[in-house]
Amino acid sequence: MIPSNLRYHQEHEWVRAEGTQATVGISHFAQDALGDIVFIDLPKVGAKVTAGQQIGEVESTKTTSTIYTPVSGTIAKINADLKDHPEVVNSDPYGKGWMAVIDLTAPAEVDQLMTAAQYETFLSKQKH
Amino acid sequence: MKQTPLIDAHRKAQGKLVDFAGWEMPIQYSGVVDEYQTVRRHAGLFDVSHMGRIRVSGPGSLAFLQRVTTNDVSTLSVQQSHYSMICAQNGGIKDDIFVYHVKPYEFLVCVNASNREKIVTWLHEKVEQAQGCKVQDQSASLAQIAIQGPASRDILAAAGIADLSTLKIRHCLDATLGDDSLLVTRTGYTGELGYELYLPAERAPKVWEQLLEAGRPLSIKPAGLGARDLLRLEMAYLLYGNDMNEETTPIEAGAEWVVKFDKGDFIGRTELLAQQAQGTARRLVAFELVEKAVPRHGFKILSAQTPHTEIGEVTSGNLSPLLQKGIGMGYVPPATARPGSSILIDIRGRACPAVVVKPPFYKKPAGTP
């Protein structure tokens, strides 16, 4: 459930870097902890974001969770399908449940994020 | 954590267990929205054994309940029940309850899990001044299972538990289960056709299995507290600890309809009567958000007029799967309590427009049971 080609943030977002762009979403662990996702508030295209900043919110039947961007840059694209089908994040968090594409201003930030193996260790510590 | 007699069934069904008022209870099994839809379309099975069940009996039981509850118990025929409240002397709500007149001189009072000990103590204290009345906490010896949804009646018939075709809403009947008796009531917390079973605790696992088995062709599923909360919110049913507590009165909470001043004296009557005459500074209302966003317990309610001052607080909120809108309840001043009034909900710093509406949010299509 932790794809090896992605990088991970301690707030349970994933990043897939391709050149100067990165796609961002939330991890399987995050969607599972949230339960049924019913609404997602995404940033506006063109918004400038800094790594660690809040860029949106995920609402589930149980609670609200903040989406943080693990990388800095400009929002190039958002997943508009999530407006009517937020549940896709539950069923396919690493695929159709992607949230935003960011034009990176500091691509090196990606290398500072956790690898899949590191994230797995991180999760096992969280679950103690 | 305390466990109900159905804990093994919850584990077997892979329920996600959480601490609810000190009880290890399933918040969900298949998923909150799936369970919610199952109850609205088919039937859901809920373990509500964490709630408190108190037997009040004896020739003085009617007079006693008239004194400690706000509704008029004398209007209940045998095998009839009603929603009611237990108030403190100052009118604050100690609990919201259901009172079942199970047989002559015998009542069953169903109380919230979180209030059980408090209410048992309160009733024991008050019963000392009463004549011919006994209060027994039967929460541990009885289990409570709710079956809710349009298919619930057919499932109970298929399970051979009872023929309920003539049982009216809020009425109850005795059924038999082997050597044990079982109370079947047409009550619930979902707005759907539904029933609750009060049965000996040791019988609960078997009956739970039986109902799931008999209900399988009718798409029954176990449902958890998450679905229960969504279902009750769409009906704008109050939740103790969220929408009311000892600091709020039935008048403020919009529950005057269960306060019967004409029945004679009862605990809290003087204060509540004064409050009704003078009016209250706040009132619980139901509201819908204009744009898609999700209100939550504790969010501030702001005036729609500038400056957008804080006028109240959200007590319950979620996204309604039915309306696909943010819905909630909260306290506001009487000036903004009328349906159609505009208010703002402060959703993490964003003032989101909302409109006060007449509850419930969920209106069943005409002609459905």
Side-chain angles (χ1 to χ4, degrees):
Chain A
M1 286 303 194
I2 306 177
S4 58
N5 59 329
L6 307 178
R7 291 295 188 119
Y8 300 86
H9 185 236
Q10 70 270 14
E11 298 291 345
H12 306 286
E13 285 80 14
W14 56 262
V15 170
R16 188 175 60 236
E18 286 149 314
T20 57
Q21 280 197 327
T23 307
V24 174
I26 65 168
S27 72
H28 169 75
F29 174 85
Q31 70 75 22
D32 186 58
L34 281 166
D36 287 351
I37 293 169
V38 293
F39 181 58
I40 299 170
D41 194 21
L42 292 174
K44 290 200 167 46
V45 171
K48 303 244 182 296
V49 299
T50 310
Q53 184 194 327
Q54 175 179 340
I55 56 163
E57 274 144 13
V58 179
E59 302 272 6
S60 76
T61 51
K62 283 183 252 171
T63 186
T64 308
S65 172
T66 301
I67 312 167
Y68 297 92
T69 175
V71 289
S72 307
T74 307
I75 305 290
K77 210 157 81 170
I78 56 164
N79 186 353
D81 292 345
L82 299 184
K83 187 169 181 285
D84 292 326
H85 298 286
E87 68 278 3
V88 170
V89 175
N90 288 122
S91 57
D92 192 8
Y94 299 117
K96 292 196 182 91
W98 67 275
M99 292 182 174
V101 174
I102 298 172
D103 284 327
L104 300 172
T105 46
E109 282 172 351
V110 175
D111 302 327
Q112 287 158 27
L113 298 169
M114 285 181 268
T115 63
Q118 286 166 335
Y119 184 55
E120 195 169 358
T121 312
F122 176 73
L123 287 184
S124 64
K125 277 183 192 150
Q126 287 221 320
K127 282 183 270 189
H128 44 255
Chain B
M1 265 188 285
K2 288 176 276 191
Q3 296 169 335
T4 78
L6 291 165
I7 185 73
D8 290 337
H10 303 322
R11 289 199 176 122
K12 200 178 129 202
Q14 301 192 319
K16 227 181 225 183
L17 300 170
V18 298
D19 179 353
F20 180 84
W23 290 82
E24 192 173 5
M25 296 297 290
I27 183 107
Q28 64 171 69
Y29 305 84
S30 54
V32 173
V33 175
D34 180 56
E35 292 160 30
Y36 159 91
Q37 299 291 8
T38 299
V39 173
R40 288 272 183 256
R41 291 172 189 160
H42 310 289
L45 198 60
F46 298 85
D47 176 14
V48 283
S49 305
H50 61 306
M51 299 190 76
R53 290 160 292 276
I54 304 167
R55 180 108 28 203
V56 178
S57 56
S61 53
L62 171 63
F64 174 68
L65 285 173
Q66 286 291 60
R67 171 145 181 76
V68 296
T69 70
T70 60
N71 209 336
D72 186 355
V73 189
S74 73
T75 62
L76 289 180
S77 58
V78 171
Q79 299 199 320
Q80 199 184 2
S81 68
H82 65 201
Y83 180 62
S84 189
M85 292 200 171
I86 294 176
C87 286
Q89 202 66 51
N90 68 1
I93 303 169
K94 293 188 78 73
D95 200 10
D96 66 327
I97 61 172
F98 237 85
V99 178
Y100 299 91
H101 192 182
V102 290
K103 44 178 87 121
Y105 309 112
E106 191 174 317
F107 298 85
L108 186 63
V109 179
C110 180
V111 305
N112 280 291
S114 54
N115 289 331
R116 192 190 100 209
E117 283 164 29
K118 176 181 86 177
I119 294 300
V120 168
T121 306
W122 175 259
L123 293 184
H124 275 304
E125 198 181 296
K126 299 296 166 196
V127 82
E128 279 174 23
Q129 302 140 29
Q131 303 271 312
C133 178
K134 201 163 80 174
V135 169
Q136 294 164 277
D137 180 8
Q138 298 190 323
S139 307
S141 59
L142 290 178
Q144 191 178 342
I145 296 172
I147 178 168
Q148 303 278 306
S152 55
R153 182 185 290 157
D154 294 340
I155 294 168
L156 285 167
I161 287 177
D163 172 13
L164 301 165
S165 49
T166 56
L167 188 68
K168 289 187 271 188
I169 192 157
R170 287 184 298 279
H171 283 248
C172 53
L173 57 78
D174 291 305
T176 51
L177 191 73
D179 302 333
D180 292 305
S181 68
L182 170 80
L183 181 71
V184 184
T185 71
R186 189 172 156 190
T187 48
Y189 199 42
T190 63
E192 296 298 338
L193 171 70
Y195 302 88
E196 289 177 284
L197 312 180
Y198 293 82
L199 68 167
E202 64 277 12
R203 288 281 188 159
K206 186 87 182 54
V207 169
W208 180 268
E209 277 303 312
Q210 240 176 302
L211 289 169
L212 285 178
E213 192 61 42
R216 193 160 299 140
L218 294 167
S219 306
I220 197 172
K221 280 185 187 174
L225 295 174
R228 189 170 151 85
D229 190 52
L230 266 183
L231 291 156
R232 72 94 195 167
L233 180 62
E234 283 190 341
M235 288 305 292
Y237 289 153
L238 308 181
L239 174 62
Y240 196 89
N242 274 42
D243 308 307
M244 60 190 156
N245 54 36
E246 296 210 15
E247 311 300 313
T248 52
T249 71
I251 312 291
E252 293 171 316
E256 298 97 327
W257 62 281
V258 296
V259 181
K260 300 293 159 65
F261 293 111
D262 293 344
K263 72 169 177 169
D265 195 26
F266 59 90
I267 298 171
R269 184 177 186 273
T270 312
E271 284 294 323
L272 293 175
L273 198 57
Q275 201 175 62
Q276 199 199 39
Q278 290 154 18
T280 59
R282 56 179 184 166
R283 216 187 141 78
L284 191 70
V285 295
F287 63 84
E288 289 180 8
L289 286 174
V290 177
E291 279 160 25
K292 207 165 179 180
V294 186
R296 303 281 184 187
H297 176 80
F299 285 6
K300 304 276 177 265
I301 301 177
L302 312 176
S303 164
Q305 279 82 43
T306 45
H308 304 302
T309 47
E310 183 183 333
I311 55 170
E313 204 174 281
V314 175
T315 55
S316 285
N318 215 320
L319 188 91
S320 160
L322 179 82
L323 304 173
Q324 283 299 309
K325 276 182 186 174
I327 61 170
M329 295 192 279
Y331 285 93
V332 297
T336 42
R338 291 169 71 97
S341 303
S342 293
I343 52 174
L344 299 170
I345 311 297
D346 181 348
I347 300 189
R348 291 174 296 273
R350 209 151 41 96
C352 300
V355 181
V356 174
V357 297
K358 187 171 179 288
F361 300 101
Y362 172 61
K363 292 168 182 89
K364 262 198 293 190
T368 52

